[in-house]
């Protein structure tokens, strides 16, 4: 984890025309992306747990990843982002599930997280949902759950510590086709194998401007960090009261107040029976700067096309589907503005605000090939998106750099298209493949269930950047523009407006109660 960077005296003169400063500022602006920015600490912690099954307790490895701010103002809510809980159950546990005549499982996780500040503590529950999995014939079973988590607000200045506690894994078990018995459901209760002070610490966030205070740090914790065991289930006296951190859960079943913009149809964008909506996120590498940049969750409204017969093939049935979509943010076809801060020269902070603007329809072309010999399906999907990159604001060491109202790439980002004759013009191309064997869950990317899409983009030259006689176009172009920028985008599970799935004991939720996508994806690396 990264702690706050030391303060550095402000240079007496800011060279706003420096190519390097502008380059680092626009680094934050690239297409689907994810990388650490100043002020953010990324947590990726593995902890040993013991999980109780009917026949006994088995060891399990639990990996918890999330992004926390380094520091917040007093009274500001802390909302961990990109929370993922990965549970690896050993082969002995898998054998016990198989003995129940289960062939697959759908899992939901409930991780208790202690939050402690000075002598006050509270608890939060981090809930996650995993994709359906098939039980392996041998070896361990890995369950990866993602979901939204409550926000936490410290009541006073000082360090606020987050620590892992007990974990419950709810398993809905799938029976083999033709099985005579239903394996039903099972809740597996897990507890940390170690509970010494500091060993379960996930992150420490400084609240307010005062330095950390309180009791001496536990072993392995940062100086001034409160003892996380005071906020961990079973760890010490429960000190609730007016000074305890405030935990605010998300409204049940609603998308309001989630760490994503609204994503719903309305009177200006009425749905049809073929309407879907989904969130996308991702990251891109910027080749010239040897770095990466983040696209926050963005809403896409999609109209699914009808399948038509593809080219004849003696070994396959082939169907083609042409769908289309639009970004949707406050009625505009663009992503939300995203703001990032970087340090140039190792000490000069640069903050940039950017958007991706759609300059035509996003097309989604899928070809489904059903192999006649074993009914295995392979789906190849190409997403073509005409997107320009617009920079709306820059600050160098707190001093605004006026880029003007029209600073953007001259043309949309471009990729080499595999079918240029039928898809002319400048656009980004992303590709994904989904595969499915008969009776088993699909893997890879499918439009309905989402997944990862990848591609490579050329960043065009910039135009319209600067004001007051200063022309920054050539500086931005020289620093940023060029080919070879790799992209990895992730689409979440779609919500089908005509047939919404709200979730039950047999099905993971796909839609919130107000018909927004339930799943907010996190970037992959």
């Amino acid at each position: 984890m990264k702690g706050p960077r030391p303060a550095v005296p402000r240079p007496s003169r800011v060279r706003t025309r420096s190519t390097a400063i502008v380059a680092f500022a626009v680094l934050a602006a690239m297409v689907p992306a994810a990388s650490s920015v100043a002020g953010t600490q990324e947590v990726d912690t593995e902890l040993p747990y013991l999980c109780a099954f009917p026949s006994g307790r088995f060891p399990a490895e639990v990996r918890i990843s999330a992004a926390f701010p380094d520091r917040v103002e007093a009274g500001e809510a802390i909302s961990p982002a990109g929370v993922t809980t990965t549970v690896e159950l050993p082969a002995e546990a898998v054998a016990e599930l198989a003995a129940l005549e289960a062939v697959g499982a759908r899992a939901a996780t409930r991780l208790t997280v202690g939050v402690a500040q000075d002598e006050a503590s509270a608890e939060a529950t981090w809930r996650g949902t995993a994709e359906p999995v098939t039980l392996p014939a041998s070896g361990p079973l890995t369950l990866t759950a993602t979901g939204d988590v409550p926000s936490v607000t410290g009541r006073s200045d000082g360090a606020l510590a987050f620590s892992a506690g007990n974990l419950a894994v709810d398993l809905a078990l799938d029976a083999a086709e033709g099985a005579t018995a239903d394996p039903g459901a099972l809740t597996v209760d897990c507890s940390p194998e170690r509970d010494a002070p500091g060993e379960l610490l996930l992150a420490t966030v400084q609240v307010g401007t005062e330095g950390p205070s309180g009791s001496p740090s536990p072993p392995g914790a940062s100086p001034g960090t409160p003892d996380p065991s005071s906020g961990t289930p079973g760890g010490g006296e429960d000190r609730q009261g007016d000074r305890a951190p405030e935990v605010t859960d998300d409204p049940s079943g609603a998308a309001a107040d989630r760490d994503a913009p609204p994503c719903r149809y309305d009177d200006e964008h009425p749905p049809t029976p073929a309407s879907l909506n989904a969130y996308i996120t991702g990251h891109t590498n910027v080749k010239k700067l040897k770095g990466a940049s983040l696209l926050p969750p963005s809403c896409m409204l999609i109209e699914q096309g009808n399948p038509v017969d593809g080219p004849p093939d003696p070994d396959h049935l082939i169907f083609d589907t042409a769908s289309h979509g639009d970004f949707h943010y406050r009625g505009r076809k663009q992503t939300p503005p995203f703001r990032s801060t970087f340090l140039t020269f190792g000490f000069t902070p640069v903050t940039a605000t950017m958007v991706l603007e759609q300059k035509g329809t996003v097309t989604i072309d899928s070809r489904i090939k059903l192999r006649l010999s074993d009914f295995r399906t392979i789906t190849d999907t190409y997403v073509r998106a005409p997107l320009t990159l617009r920079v709306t604001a820059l600050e160098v060491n707190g001093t605004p750099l006026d880029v003007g109202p029209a600073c953007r790439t001259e043309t949309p980002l471009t990729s080499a298209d595999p079918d240029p004759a039928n898809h002319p013009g400048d656009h980004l191309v992303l590709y994904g493949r989904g595969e499915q064997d008969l009776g088993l869950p699909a893997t890879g990317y499918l439009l309905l269930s989402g997944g990862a899409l990848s591609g490579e983009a050329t960043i065009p030259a910039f135009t319209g950047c600067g004001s007051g006689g200063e022309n920054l176009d050539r500086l931005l172009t020289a620093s940023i523009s060029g080919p070879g920028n790799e992209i990895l985008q992730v689409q979440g599970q779609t919500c089908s407006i005509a047939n919404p799935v709200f979730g039950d004991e047999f099905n993971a939720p796909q839609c919130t109660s107000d018909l927004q996508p339930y799943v907010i994806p996190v970037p992959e690396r």
Side-chain angles (χ1 to χ4, degrees):
M1 293 182 288
K2 300 178 181 177
R5 297 182 184 269
V8 177
R10 176 171 172 167
S12 60
R13 186 166 179 261
V14 178
R15 301 178 59 190
T16 57
R17 288 192 177 94
S18 166
T19 299
I21 290 180
V22 175
F24 272 80
V26 179
L27 168 61
M30 304 329 307
V31 204
S35 179
S36 297
V37 297
T40 299
Q41 51 179 318
E42 294 188 359
V43 175
D44 193 353
T45 303
E46 289 190 7
L47 296 170
Y49 274 68
L50 289 174
C51 296
F53 282 79
S55 66
R57 289 157 62 87
F58 297 116
E61 288 296 323
V62 177
R63 182 172 182 174
I64 303 165
S65 59
F68 292 81
D70 283 332
R71 179 185 294 270
V72 297
E73 298 298 326
E76 180 181 352
I78 300 169
S79 300
V83 175
T84 302
T85 303
T86 303
V87 183
E88 184 178 287
L89 298 175
E92 296 85 349
V94 178
E96 184 155 335
L97 297 178
L100 298 174
E101 298 190 32
V103 296
R106 286 156 289 138
T109 59
R110 292 173 283 134
L111 175 67
T112 302
V113 174
V115 288
Q117 188 178 40
D118 291 329
E119 297 301 315
S121 64
E123 292 181 359
T125 300
W126 288 8
R127 301 177 185 274
T129 302
E131 294 293 324
V133 294
T134 301
L135 299 187
S138 61
L141 171 66
T142 300
L143 304 167
T144 302
T146 59
D148 302 316
V149 302
S151 61
V152 177
T153 305
R155 298 295 184 95
S156 60
D157 289 352
L160 194 154
F162 292 76
S163 53
N166 293 333
L167 171 69
V169 182
D170 299 315
L171 295 172
L173 302 176
D174 298 324
E177 187 174 355
T180 57
D182 182 359
L186 178 67
T187 295
V188 179
D189 293 317
C190 306
S191 58
E193 192 171 323
R194 59 192 187 209
D195 57 3
E199 290 186 327
L200 300 177
L201 183 67
L202 298 177
T204 301
V205 179
Q206 180 64 33
V207 178
T209 56
E210 297 181 3
S213 61
S215 57
S217 304
S222 302
T225 299
D227 182 351
S229 64
S230 64
T232 303
E237 180 183 355
D238 185 17
R239 304 181 180 95
Q240 302 298 333
D242 293 340
R243 294 189 302 149
E246 180 182 2
V247 178
T248 304
D249 286 298
D250 293 329
S252 177
D257 300 328
R258 298 197 297 173
D259 191 18
C263 189
R264 61 167 65 89
Y265 288 85
D266 51 34
D267 292 340
E268 294 184 6
H269 303 84
T272 72
S275 293
L276 311 169
N277 49 351
Y279 285 109
I280 64 168
T281 185
H283 75 272
T284 187
N285 291 328
V286 184
K287 186 175 181 180
K288 281 188 176 180
L289 297 174
K290 300 179 181 179
S293 174
L294 171 69
L295 177 73
S298 302
C299 174
M300 179 70 71
L301 303 182
I302 303 168
E303 289 296 306
Q304 187 179 18
N306 293 319
V308 298
D309 291 338
D313 185 311
D315 300 318
H316 297 83
L317 291 177
I318 300 179
F319 302 95
D320 290 334
T321 302
S323 306
H324 63 270
D326 292 310
F327 279 106
H328 182 62
Y329 178 71
R330 296 184 177 178
R332 301 188 183 99
K333 296 179 181 180
Q334 66 173 59
T335 67
F338 41 110
R339 176 184 172 94
S340 299
T341 300
F342 292 84
L343 293 179
T344 63
F345 308 121
F347 64 84
T348 304
V350 177
T351 300
T353 304
M354 306 75 57
V355 296
L356 287 169
E357 297 180 326
Q358 190 175 322
K359 297 301 179 183
T361 300
V362 175
T363 61
I364 307 165
D365 296 301
S366 299
R367 170 162 290 181
I368 304 170
K369 298 178 68 174
L370 173 64
R371 192 160 61 196
L372 297 175
S373 60
D374 57 5
F375 299 105
R376 175 180 175 83
T377 60
I378 296 177
T379 303
D380 293 303
T381 299
Y382 290 92
V383 177
R384 296 174 171 90
L387 301 172
T388 57
L389 173 64
R390 183 161 69 93
V391 181
T392 63
L394 290 177
E395 290 182 5
V396 179
N397 206 26
T399 300
L401 173 65
D402 191 355
V403 295
C407 181
R408 66 188 188 281
T409 53
E410 288 182 341
T411 60
L413 307 175
T414 59
S415 303
D417 197 299
D419 187 10
N422 290 315
H423 301 279
D426 295 327
H427 51 262
L428 177 69
V429 180
L430 298 173
Y431 168 76
R433 165 170 282 198
E435 301 182 3
Q436 186 171 21
D437 290 314
L438 185 64
L440 296 177
T443 60
Y445 175 83
L446 295 175
L447 175 60
L448 293 180
S449 58
L453 295 148
S454 60
E456 187 174 290
T458 295
I459 303 170
F462 285 81
T463 185
C465 302
S467 64
E470 291 185 321
N471 188 331
L472 303 175
D473 294 347
R474 297 174 70 180
L475 292 176
L476 291 171
T477 299
S479 304
I480 302 297
S481 302
N485 303 287
E486 297 179 356
I487 298 169
L488 181 59
Q489 177 178 294
V490 181
Q491 176 201 308
Q493 166 75 52
T494 59
C495 170
S496 174
I497 305 302
N499 298 288
V501 176
F502 299 113
D504 53 33
E505 59 179 319
F506 303 107
N507 299 287
Q510 299 174 8
C511 304
T512 64
S513 59
D514 53 353
L515 296 180
Q516 299 192 62
Y518 186 88
V519 176
I520 301 176
V522 296
E524 295 183 2
R525 297 168 185 246

